Amino acid sequence: MTTLYEGAFAKLNLTLDVLGKRDDGYHDMKSVMQTISIRDDIEIDVGTDKPWNLVCDKEGIPSDERNLAWKAAKVYFDTIGKDPNGLEIRITKRIPSQAGMGGGSADAAAVLRALNRHYDHPLSIAALAELGGLVGSDVPFCVLGGTAVVEGRGERLRKLPDMPDCVFVVCKPEFSVSTPELYAKIDETVIGKHPDHAAMESAILSGDIGAVAQNLYNVFDPVVTADHLELNYIKSIFNSYGSMGQQMTGSGSAVFCMVPEFEFAAVICQMLKDNYPEVFIAKPVSF
């Protein structure tokens, strides 16, 4: 038996736009995504000589084939045509669930990367990301990691240079958002503002952290905020203590801000932690 270890890193959407509904019922999107240092830890035992098993230290996480990490392992072995002779996946969960931070997708991507390394890289990163698209829309980006433009359903990726150094504060309120319901709502909403992806990409290319912060925008943010005004309260705390820019990530409900120094982040956390237990300080991560 061999034990593999891999970090599963959360993602933030620096920009997110919904471009329309497709014939297959999914939506085309465009986003600049960033991997951050909030992570789950994945351990995989290969060759257990027992039925497949998945264990997570957090309650409420599926521990069978419904889990994206399990799905990723199955897709991987089906693709390379190998039988692992028993498998156990153990997940230590730190990424908040139902937050828009890609926690399940990050776990799946970590499984793909770990297994591919174990079998001496039979698949390229591009092929591994494509395989991730069979598991979930955010999995391809989570395989690639770093900073990237993501389009389509999440399968079209273009790597960008590493984001300039900064500090993120991420706050996950108690409520969660149904992604299908949110997409249905956005279909009926006139989107008054769209993110400027070109400006965001230019800011990253020039290493201008202030311009990155000023160009954060997610079309879902005003739609969710209209139903959950406490997001405005969280953003007001961000603003009052040094935020350069703030935004909801994914379909929510986590919101984040960018600050130039750790000291600002520490103060923001102090101001939020009594009302919001899930508050995190994070840094950009490059792959």
Side-chain angles (χ1 to χ4, degrees):
M1 186 181 78
T2 305
T3 302
L4 317 177
Y5 302 91
E6 187 76 12
F9 293 90
K11 60 87 177 169
L12 296 177
N13 297 83
L14 305 181
T15 61
L16 178 56
D17 202 359
V18 178
L19 305 178
K21 196 168 185 178
R22 302 162 17 150
D23 291 341
D24 62 5
Y26 289 99
H27 289 74
D28 276 320
M29 51 76 75
K30 184 171 184 178
S31 178
V32 177
M33 294 190 189
Q34 175 63 48
T35 306
I36 61 169
S37 55
I38 301 168
R39 59 182 269 182
D40 295 345
D41 283 327
I42 307 296
E43 295 180 24
I44 307 170
D45 290 341
V46 181
T48 62
D49 201 23
K50 296 176 183 176
W52 283 32
N53 188 40
L54 188 147
V55 180
C56 182
D57 67 341
K58 184 175 180 181
E59 289 183 10
I61 303 295
S63 58
D64 53 20
E65 61 274 3
R66 294 171 297 160
N67 192 296
L68 296 187
W70 183 304
K71 287 182 181 178
K74 185 175 187 317
V75 164
Y76 185 81
F77 286 115
D78 287 349
T79 300
I80 66 168
K82 286 186 182 291
D83 180 350
N85 187 31
L87 195 78
E88 178 167 289
I89 301 170
R90 294 183 295 279
I91 302 173
T92 302
K93 206 93 184 97
R94 299 185 191 90
I95 304 170
S97 300
Q98 297 180 304
M101 298 172 67
S105 299
D107 296 344
V111 167
L112 291 174
R113 286 195 306 269
L115 291 175
N116 202 49
R117 185 176 65 246
H118 176 64
Y119 290 103
D120 202 21
H121 303 281
L123 301 178
S124 67
I125 288 295
L128 207 61
E130 187 175 337
L131 203 60
L134 301 175
V135 181
S137 297
D138 284 335
V139 180
F141 169 73
C142 291
V143 167
L144 182 69
T147 314
V149 179
V150 183
E151 298 183 78
R153 269 190 62 202
E155 77 282 2
R156 294 187 353 243
L157 306 170
R158 180 164 53 86
K159 189 85 167 168
L160 294 177
D162 293 343
M163 184 175 171
D165 194 37
C166 69
V167 182
F168 296 104
V169 181
V170 185
C171 179
K172 165 65 171 72
E174 285 188 13
F175 74 87
S176 298
V177 179
S178 162
T179 302
E181 286 178 18
L182 189 54
Y183 271 104
K185 196 172 283 190
I186 204 100
D187 287 338
E188 301 167 0
T189 302
V190 176
I191 300 174
K193 179 182 175 183
H194 294 269
D196 189 337
H197 302 290
M200 176 61 78
E201 188 169 341
S202 175
I204 291 168
L205 289 170
S206 63
D208 186 341
I209 200 67
V212 171
Q214 289 163 18
N215 283 288
L216 298 172
Y217 195 71
N218 176 352
V219 294
F220 285 131
D221 187 302
V223 180
V224 174
T225 302
D227 292 330
H228 300 279
L229 294 177
E230 69 176 297
L231 294 187
N232 282 334
Y233 168 75
I234 297 169
K235 290 177 198 168
S236 74
I237 297 294
F238 288 166
N239 264 326
S240 297
Y241 295 97
S243 167
M244 299 185 293
Q246 57 275 324
Q247 192 55 55
M248 190 178 79
T249 182
S251 55
S253 59
V255 287
F256 69 95
C257 72
M258 292 172 57
V259 294
E261 303 287 345
F262 175 82
E263 286 74 17
F264 292 95
V267 171
I268 291 171
C269 283
Q270 187 67 27
M271 299 306 297
L272 287 171
K273 67 181 179 63
D274 287 344
N275 291 326
Y276 299 100
E278 291 191 290
V279 186
F280 308 86
I281 297 175
K283 301 276 283 181
V285 170
S286 56
F287 275 41

